[in-house]
């Protein structure tokens, strides 16, 4: 009886250790995902607007919820696949949606490939929200040496012009 109790306690201690390691790995994944999103947003050749960046964070989520039936990788890959077949579809032919069950992948190559394709399409000027990308706003005044019209990035896109007071 004592041996069984000792074995159960040892297994319980091992389970607690593994859960701690799983939480630490989930935290690392969350931080890494936030860093990737920030780097994508700051890439000078992509120039994501705030709305597009927020939308991308919904698809490439830094919120890591891992359970027995589906993990972060499966749900994120499915979300990016959906994004590539809807908002970022190149042609109508590409936008055919086929629902597939979430399965544990053998490796991360498919997820990496989908992140790369999303970045490539955003680099080409695609928008997640259907609004023009910030690259179009910036290029507007570059040709003639003029400042772009509309709200500036310094005002945070709130439409504040010179002379307007905040908080009125």
């Amino acid at each position: 009886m004592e041996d069984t109790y000792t074995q159960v306690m040892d297994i319980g201690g091992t389970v607690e250790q593994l859960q701690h390691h799983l939480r630490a790995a989930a935290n690392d994944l969350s931080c890494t995902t936030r860093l990737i999103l920030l780097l994508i947003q700051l890439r000078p050749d992509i120039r994501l607007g705030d709305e597009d960046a927020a939308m991308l964070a919904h698809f490439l989520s830094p919120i890591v919820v891992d359970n027995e039936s589906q993990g972060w990788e499966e749900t994120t890959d499915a979300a990016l696949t959906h994004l590539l077949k809807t908002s970022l579809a190149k042609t109508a032919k590409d936008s055919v949606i086929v629902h597939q069950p979430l399965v544990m992948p053998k490796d991360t190559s498919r997820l990496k490939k989908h992140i790369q394709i999303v970045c490539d399409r955003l680099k080409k000027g695609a928008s997640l929200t259907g609004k023009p990308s910030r690259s179009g706003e910036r290029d507007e005044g570059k040709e003639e040496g003029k400042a772009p019209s509309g709200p500036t990035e310094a005002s945070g896109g709130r439409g504040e012009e010179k002379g307007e007071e905040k908080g009125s």
Side-chain angles (χ1 to χ4, degrees):
M1 188 71 144
E2 284 182 33
D3 289 339
T4 304
Y5 174 77
T6 304
Q7 287 177 344
V8 168
M9 293 303 290
D10 289 344
I11 290 171
T14 303
V15 168
E16 283 182 16
Q17 272 186 330
L18 293 174
Q19 287 175 339
H20 174 73
H21 290 301
L22 182 61
R23 282 191 301 274
N27 187 41
D28 291 347
L29 177 60
S30 178
C31 292
T32 303
T33 305
R34 286 185 193 276
L35 181 60
I36 289 170
L37 288 167
L38 181 63
L39 290 172
I40 290 171
Q41 189 174 5
L42 294 176
R43 272 183 67 171
D45 56 342
I46 290 181
R47 297 184 182 126
L48 276 184
D50 291 339
E51 289 182 31
D52 280 339
M55 183 70 71
L56 181 60
H58 290 292
F59 289 95
L60 183 59
S61 178
I63 299 170
V64 179
V65 179
D66 208 9
N67 57 42
E68 293 176 18
S69 63
Q70 62 190 19
W72 176 87
E73 186 177 339
E74 295 90 26
T75 55
T76 301
D77 188 49
L80 290 175
T81 301
H82 179 75
L83 181 64
L84 289 168
K85 292 187 178 281
T86 55
S87 299
L88 297 179
K90 282 185 172 180
T91 64
K93 179 183 169 188
D94 292 339
S95 65
V96 175
I97 298 175
V98 178
H99 298 286
Q100 296 181 2
L102 298 179
V103 292
M104 177 74 98
K106 295 176 208 158
D107 59 14
T108 59
S109 61
R110 184 173 177 205
L111 179 62
K112 289 178 190 177
K113 178 182 163 191
H114 285 157
I115 292 171
Q116 181 63 46
I117 293 170
V118 166
C119 288
D120 289 344
R121 293 199 184 158
L122 290 172
K123 183 178 175 181
K124 292 178 182 174
S127 174
L128 302 175
T129 58
K131 296 179 181 179
S133 67
R134 281 185 0 194
S135 61
E137 293 172 4
R138 287 187 184 166
D139 293 341
E140 189 176 289
K142 279 185 180 176
E143 293 177 41
E144 300 175 22
K146 298 178 192 173
S149 60
T152 62
E153 285 185 36
S155 69
R158 294 182 299 272
E160 296 170 9
E161 298 292 329
K162 290 181 182 178
E164 281 188 44
E165 292 182 328
K166 291 196 301 190
S168 300

